[in-house]
Amino acid sequence: MDRSAHTMNALFEQLGMPGDDAYINQFIRTHTLFSQEVKLSEATFWTESQANFIRECLETDSDWCEVVDDLNTRLHS
């Protein structure tokens, strides 16, 4: 398993979105999850494929888990 450190930029690219900082910051500003009850993988703005990737990362404690957790924190802030 690849245990290299992944970045937020790489995560967005993995999800099929632009990985530049400006896009990521705008995405986070416009997709805030206002309730802690909403799981990151269940947010309505993900495609099915994106949601599955996020869910799998968290369930399997994959090498992407740390950056996915960071995204979760940022979207719930």
Side-chain angles (χ1 to χ4, degrees), residues 62-76:
S62 80
D63 53 319
W64 287 100
C65 193
E66 186 175 324
V67 72
V68 171
D69 282 339
D70 183 36
L71 178 60
N72 185 44
T73 299
R74 292 178 68 185
L75 287 169
H76 279 98

Side-chain angles (χ1 to χ4, degrees), residues 15 35 39 51 64 68 77:
L15 292 169
S35 172
K39 293 181 181 179
W64 287 100
V68 171
S77 295

Side-chain angles (χ1 to χ4, degrees), residues 25-70:
N25 291 333
Q26 180 65 28
F27 181 91
I28 291 169
R29 278 193 303 274
T30 59
H31 293 88
T32 300
L33 298 171
F34 293 103
S35 172
Q36 293 296 325
E37 308 267 325
V38 178
K39 293 181 181 179
L40 179 62
S41 63
E42 295 174 359
T44 59
F45 47 78
W46 300 124
T47 65
E48 184 177 344
S49 175
Q50 291 168 329
N52 287 338
F53 178 79
I54 291 168
R55 187 177 306 105
E56 183 178 309
C57 287
L58 296 172
E59 288 175 354
T60 63
D61 196 29
S62 80
D63 53 319
W64 287 100
C65 193
E66 186 175 324
V67 72
V68 171
D69 282 339
D70 183 36

